[in-house]
Amino acid sequence: MTTDEYTKIILSKYLKQIDEFNWHHPIKVHEISGSQSERDQTNYYLSQLCHVLFNNYQQSHNEIGKMLNLSTKRVIRLVNAYSQNFTSLQYIMAELKNGENW
């Protein structure tokens, strides 16, 4: 298994974790889905994923966009909007554990 394949598998797992809150609290998510704080939280964690993929895994903005299903422009905006606060994907996952920090 190549590093890219392994990274995509791990990333897929972490993206599912981000959506975990939606699964456990569907009514609450529906109620707050349009709120600014929900968008800010989503953008924050997406930017952290972008930073880790860019800095730790040397992925290009274009590749990150493909992995996260985002446009390259949005990836660049997310990276520029927030500074990196996490050093690995595992720390992001721990922070998002079961949506407790939402």
Side-chain angles (χ1 to χ4, degrees), residues 14-38:
Y14 293 138
L15 289 173
K16 287 178 186 175
Q17 184 67 34
I18 290 173
D19 290 333
E20 187 85 16
F21 184 74
N22 296 350
W23 179 259
H24 289 293
H25 309 285
I27 293 172
K28 186 173 180 182
V29 168
H30 179 69
E31 290 172 356
I32 64 172
S33 63
S35 74
Q36 184 64 39
S37 65
E38 176 72 16

Side-chain angles (χ1 to χ4, degrees), residues 13-98:
K13 187 167 84 174
Y14 293 138
L15 289 173
K16 287 178 186 175
Q17 184 67 34
I18 290 173
D19 290 333
E20 187 85 16
F21 184 74
N22 296 350
W23 179 259
H24 289 293
H25 309 285
I27 293 172
K28 186 173 180 182
V29 168
H30 179 69
E31 290 172 356
I32 64 172
S33 63
S35 74
Q36 184 64 39
S37 65
E38 176 72 16
R39 286 190 301 271
D40 288 346
Q41 287 282 43
T42 301
N43 286 338
Y44 172 74
Y45 285 109
L46 282 173
S47 90
Q48 295 307 307
L49 283 172
C50 292
H51 276 294
V52 170
L53 290 170
F54 186 74
N55 294 324
N56 295 15
Y57 296 95
Q58 292 73 41
Q59 299 295 309
S60 69
H61 290 119
N62 191 30
E63 285 297 314
I64 293 169
K66 287 178 187 176
M67 284 187 238
L68 299 178
N69 198 24
L70 302 171
S71 70
T72 304
K73 287 182 181 180
R74 182 155 185 223
V75 170
I76 293 168
R77 279 190 222 124
L78 288 169
V79 168
N80 291 333
Y82 298 92
S83 61
Q84 184 173 358
N85 295 326
F86 295 94
T87 56
S88 73
L89 294 173
Q90 289 79 10
Y91 289 132
I92 296 171
M93 176 118 171
E95 186 75 15
L96 291 171
K97 187 92 174 156
N98 294 321

